Amino acid sequence: QVQLVESGGGLVQAGGSLRLSCAASGRTVSSYSMGWFRQAPGNEREFVAAIWRSADITRYADSVKGRFTISRDNAKNTVYLRMNSLKPEDTAVYYCAASRALVPSVAADFGSWGQGTQVTVSS
């Protein structure tokens, strides 16, 4: 099974940028569809972005489309989430996840999860 470790979270002013990293071990990320999810206090875990292993198609939640970019570096066995124009509403714990499905559509399709990294966006 693949092991995932997120990093790169922190405190940032609204309008700023962060890049989250998800380092994988045990398996190569190229053989998985990868996703980012987030969970804010009082909220359910929310889909943010995914990159499918089928043709490297990317998908984004409407709330982050145009601001966030998911990518993978197979040589480094790492997936990234570049977050630009951050808003206070983006404040959450961000989780990296991996799925063996070609086109995962829900959180339940992702079988491996990282521990999460906190992102806090101040006004």
Side-chain angles (χ1 to χ4, degrees):
Q1 297 182 1
V2 63
Q3 180 177 329
L4 307 173
V5 179
E6 302 97 331
S7 62
L11 175 64
V12 64
Q13 188 76 20
S17 299
L18 286 173
R19 189 181 73 165
L20 306 183
S21 299
C22 175
S25 61
R27 299 291 188 275
T28 57
V29 297
S30 62
S31 63
Y32 290 84
S33 295
M34 303 296 297
W36 286 95
F37 294 77
R38 66 187 183 186
Q39 187 165 18
N43 292 356
E44 295 185 347
R45 191 163 297 187
E46 174 190 21
F47 168 76
V48 175
I51 181 165
W52 293 344
R53 65 183 177 95
S54 176
D56 257 3
I57 298 298
T58 57
R59 293 288 183 268
Y60 299 92
D62 288 342
S63 59
V64 306
K65 192 173 299 181
R67 300 187 297 120
F68 291 12
T69 303
I70 187 172
S71 63
R72 71 169 94 222
D73 186 333
N74 291 334
K76 296 182 178 180
N77 209 28
T78 300
V79 64
Y80 302 96
L81 184 68
R82 179 167 57 83
M83 306 183 294
N84 296 328
S85 302
L86 283 163
K87 306 174 181 179
E89 307 94 276
D90 297 319
T91 295
V93 177
Y94 283 71
Y95 298 90
C96 177
S99 174
R100 289 191 176 276
L102 288 172
V103 288
S105 59
V106 296
D109 292 331
F110 292 83
S112 299
W113 295 81
Q115 83 289 345
T117 185
Q118 176 71 46
V119 172
T120 302
V121 184
S122 61
S123 301

